[in-house]
Amino acid sequence: INIPITQNVTVVEGAIANMTCRVDYNDNTSLQWSNPAQQTLFFGDKKALRDHRIELVRASSQELTIRINDVSLSDEGLYTCSLFTMPVRTTKAFLTVLGVPGRPEITGFTKPAMEGDVVTLTCTTSGSKPAATIRWFLNDKEVQGTKEVNATGKSFTVRSSLQFQVDKRDDGVAYTCSVEHVSLSKPYMTTEVLEVHYAPHLEITHSLIIPQEGQYFKLECVSIGNPIPEPVEWSKDGGELPDIERMIVEGRELTITTLNKTDNGTYRCEASNHLGSSSAEYILFVYDPNALGQHGPDHALIGGVVAVVVFITLCLIIVLGRYLARHKGTYLTHEAKGAEDAPDADTAIINAEGNHVHAEEKKEYFI
């Protein structure tokens, strides 16, 4: 049976679709292409429908190929190739038209956002067919959004939303919306960077652990806040800095060029932005280097180390003495035993000699 042969075709909206119909043999019978509305497009090499987008590519007794330029979503459907024999034989081919999604847009950004605000970010893409997929990334980490799909004619509008409470740690975080679709070789992406304003927090760092008279000393007021809290105000014991010649303020730094005892006290830095103010304090005590030389922490450390070494040495001597005593024991000879019981030295010698005799006798007896 001579049946027309066709293939399904998939193209992207705006592209070109080639529809081919073939037969193995033909006895001078015409081939015909019809659209989904059953309107004849070409009968052999004769154009039947007035549509400038549709062209003839090849017409022969065994093939009829037509081209549809600038394909639209409305062109999608079931096309029919007919072979006009008795009876007429037909084969259908489905033309699938992919709707390319539009580039995504992110809405809902307030610049800047305030710490504590609840923000809803929405990513939208239109014109996809089938519906596109939206993915969210917070920096490089994927996060889940809430998806909504709406049909708009033959294509779809897809939205995905993220809702969260703004924290100061979100400042500078990049939110990326990625749109994936079968018609795209790589995803469409758009990125927005979140700016967060938050109240300041201050800390004071110092250049010396043990400040001593005559030394150069620096305090720095380290501030965290957005906008950056400015200016930084320095004070001492609740009042102005007493010696502006030695106490130099440069931005966030307070430098005392030559320390002395009059510098003792509580130093305070203050700064603010439109969301609030903050302060930090540092208590300065200036040491006498001579006093530190006699009773300073270095001597105390050395004394402690010496004490520990002496204690460990004594413990080792005691343990070693016990060990030697236990293994040596007290080995009394017969001579020593006799001498031990004697009332005086002469008797002890006699007893010792007697013990020698008895020992010899015992030896001879056993022999």
Side-chain angles (χ1 to χ4, degrees):
I1 299 174
N2 198 18
I3 298 176
I5 302 167
T6 61
Q7 285 186 326
N8 294 332
V9 177
T10 299
V11 294
V12 173
E13 183 181 14
I16 297 171
N18 286 325
M19 311 290 293
T20 299
C21 179
R22 293 188 179 90
V23 290
D24 290 334
Y25 60 91
N26 194 352
D27 53 356
N28 232 6
T29 304
S30 295
L31 290 168
Q32 172 187 290
W33 270 115
S34 303
N35 65 14
Q38 294 304 309
Q39 296 171 311
T40 301
L41 302 177
F42 270 88
F43 186 81
D45 59 357
K46 303 291 190 297
K47 187 173 182 178
L49 185 68
R50 290 179 179 273
D51 187 335
H52 68 279
R53 298 178 306 127
I54 302 174
E55 300 174 352
L56 178 67
V57 176
R58 185 177 295 106
S60 67
S61 60
Q62 291 181 291
E63 178 185 338
L64 178 59
T65 298
I66 62 172
R67 174 186 298 134
I68 306 173
N69 296 300
D70 192 20
V71 174
S72 67
L73 296 180
S74 60
D75 291 323
E76 183 173 277
L78 210 54
Y79 287 72
T80 305
C81 177
S82 303
L83 177 63
F84 280 85
T85 56
M86 292 296 292
V88 175
R89 294 188 174 90
T90 61
T91 302
K92 296 183 182 296
F94 198 91
L95 173 62
T96 301
V97 182
L98 301 177
V100 181
R103 292 195 172 271
E105 293 182 0
I106 298 177
T107 57
F109 265 92
T110 53
K111 293 189 176 181
M114 303 298 170
E115 185 177 22
D117 286 355
V118 175
V119 171
T120 302
L121 303 181
T122 302
C123 180
T124 305
T125 178
S126 301
S128 60
K129 179 182 165 296
T133 299
I134 293 179
R135 298 169 69 190
W136 282 101
F137 294 90
L138 193 159
N139 287 339
D140 294 326
K141 180 182 178 182
E142 185 171 3
V143 291
Q144 295 301 318
T146 303
K147 185 178 179 181
E148 177 188 341
V149 180
N150 293 309
T152 308
K154 291 182 177 293
S155 64
F156 297 91
T157 297
V158 184
R159 295 181 181 86
S160 182
S161 299
L162 286 178
Q163 188 175 73
F164 56 93
Q165 187 169 26
V166 176
D167 184 84
K168 62 185 176 185
R169 290 171 296 184
D170 295 320
D171 185 40
V173 170
Y175 286 82
T176 299
C177 171
S178 172
V179 172
E180 298 175 358
H181 194 260
V182 64
S183 65
L184 302 176
S185 57
K186 62 181 181 179
Y188 284 157
M189 291 187 177
T190 186
T191 299
E192 294 280 355
V193 177
L194 185 62
E195 180 185 357
V196 181
H197 281 190
Y198 52 94
H201 173 75
L202 305 183
E203 290 181 2
I204 295 179
T205 61
H206 46 91
S207 61
L208 296 173
I209 298 174
I210 303 173
Q212 302 176 39
E213 286 183 288
Q215 287 184 324
Y216 176 94
F217 186 63
K218 182 188 288 185
L219 295 176
E220 183 178 357
C221 189
V222 180
S223 60
I224 300 171
N226 193 19
I228 296 171
E230 290 181 318
V232 174
E233 301 288 344
W234 285 96
S235 62
K236 178 178 182 285
D237 296 330
E240 294 183 358
L241 298 176
D243 190 343
I244 57 173
E245 290 185 0
R246 287 188 307 111
M247 298 178 177
I248 302 168
V249 175
E250 292 181 338
R252 304 179 180 280
E253 295 181 351
L254 167 61
T255 302
I256 304 175
T257 55
T258 310
L259 286 173
N260 62 49
K261 286 285 188 180
T262 64
D263 297 327
N264 289 347
T266 301
Y267 291 79
R268 179 186 180 94
C269 71
E270 264 186 278
S272 62
N273 60 21
H274 68 279
L275 292 172
S277 61
S278 179
S279 63
E281 292 185 345
Y282 173 77
I283 299 173
L284 173 62
F285 183 82
V286 180
Y287 290 85
D288 181 352
N290 296 323
L292 283 174
Q294 295 172 5
H295 308 290
D298 289 345
H299 286 266
L301 181 62
I302 293 169
V305 172
V306 170
V308 170
V309 170
V310 170
F311 176 77
I312 292 173
T313 304
L314 288 173
C315 290
L316 288 173
I317 290 171
I318 292 169
V319 171
L320 185 60
R322 288 186 176 181
Y323 176 85
L324 292 175
R326 184 179 300 168
H327 286 75
K328 181 177 181 183
T330 305
Y331 298 99
L332 294 175
T333 62
H334 289 288
E335 296 88 346
K337 185 170 178 58
E340 202 176 55
D341 296 334
D344 52 51
D346 292 338
T347 309
I349 293 170
I350 293 167
N351 287 345
E353 289 174 353
N355 283 333
H356 274 293
V357 173
H358 288 304
E360 293 296 324
E361 287 175 357
K362 286 182 181 180
K363 286 180 183 178
E364 290 172 359
Y365 177 78
F366 284 108
I367 289 172

